[in-house]
Amino acid sequence: MSDAFTIYGQSFSSRLLIGSALYPSPQCMHQAIAASGSEIVTVSLRRQNSHAGGDDFWQLIKDTGLTVLPNTAGCHSVQEVMTLAQMCREVFATDWIKLELIGDDYNLQPDPIALITAAEQLLAQGFKVLPYCTDDLVVCQRLVSAGCEVIMPWAAPIGTGKGILNPYALHTIRERLPDVTLIVDAGLGLPSHACQAMEMGVDAVLLNSAIAGANDPVLMAQAFANATVAGRQSYLAGPMVEKSTAVPSTPTLGMPAWHTMSEDI
């Protein structure tokens, strides 16, 4: 039975989304993306330069055959977002956009107020918005109310690899927004972090630095792919109930009682 999930009505089997930045070489990027089994790859228009191999990079992305998710990385204002999103729609021929609007340059935290404004304006112009946000429930609720069908809260500040800093917050978002496609984006550093997120019932995870920054990005991409599947299977299977005391796996009821010689004397 298929265990696909949807993003704005489009169905996907792989629950691992992958980024295209920071790899040691374009060839390594291509190999890692293939090894991940991902069906969606994120790209940033700001990183493209036709005078520095930008056309070759874009050809590599097209050669993957994956769905392209452009992002507004590096934007600090609503106007910047709107301008870059329009350019992305023109260049990549898609109305999908990963909305990034940074409010603090130290931890790259999204600006929660401007983010909602930008989402509203993008949606009004026909974009399918995937907003990168913090794990703040109210911000997520506001984005959904604005019309976003997908929410992408961080696990930790982008590029830190610290894993899920606030499991309670992500649990709460999942419970309060059960019908929204929930993708954990940013902060995951190990396959075990991805597995933990998937065990919470999130729909997918998005990775870049954790794969591109590994000693062996291709092997790490495979590891994250396996961890994502394992976490999803664990969620579907349902974990055992935690107990405060030890419980033997072998029951003692009905076991024969053995007596020593000294007991018979």
Side-chain angles (χ1 to χ4, degrees), residues 17-115:
L17 287 67
I18 193 168
S20 57
L22 306 176
Y23 292 90
S25 69
Q27 292 72 29
C28 179
M29 176 200 72
H30 196 274
Q31 292 169 1
I33 290 173
S36 73
S38 297
E39 297 171 272
I40 301 172
V41 58
T42 64
V43 294
S44 173
L45 187 62
R46 284 183 182 272
R47 296 193 179 96
Q48 309 316 312
N49 186 330
S50 60
H51 300 293
D55 290 340
D56 292 339
F57 174 86
W58 179 222
Q59 187 59 50
L60 275 176
I61 294 296
K62 289 195 289 187
D63 288 346
T64 66
L66 306 186
T67 297
V68 174
L69 174 59
N71 67 47
T72 59
C75 290
H76 290 75
S77 70
V78 174
Q79 186 55 54
E80 278 187 289
V81 164
M82 300 308 296
T83 300
L84 189 58
Q86 295 286 359
M87 294 172 63
C88 286
R89 182 151 63 181
E90 179 80 15
V91 171
F92 300 116
T94 179
D95 55 6
W96 280 28
I97 194 74
K98 178 188 172 186
L99 171 57
E100 296 186 34
L101 203 170
I102 301 304
D104 181 84
D105 287 327
Y106 177 74
N107 66 359
L108 301 180
Q109 178 173 328
D111 182 327
I113 300 171
L115 188 73

Side-chain angles (χ1 to χ4, degrees), residues 92-141:
F92 300 116
T94 179
D95 55 6
W96 280 28
I97 194 74
K98 178 188 172 186
L99 171 57
E100 296 186 34
L101 203 170
I102 301 304
D104 181 84
D105 287 327
Y106 177 74
N107 66 359
L108 301 180
Q109 178 173 328
D111 182 327
I113 300 171
L115 188 73
I116 297 169
T117 301
E120 291 172 339
Q121 293 187 18
L122 287 169
L123 289 161
Q125 294 190 18
F127 284 95
K128 294 179 172 64
V129 182
L130 291 82
Y132 163 58
C133 58
T134 61
D135 54 8
D136 184 284
L137 173 63
V138 176
V139 170
C140 291
Q141 289 174 323

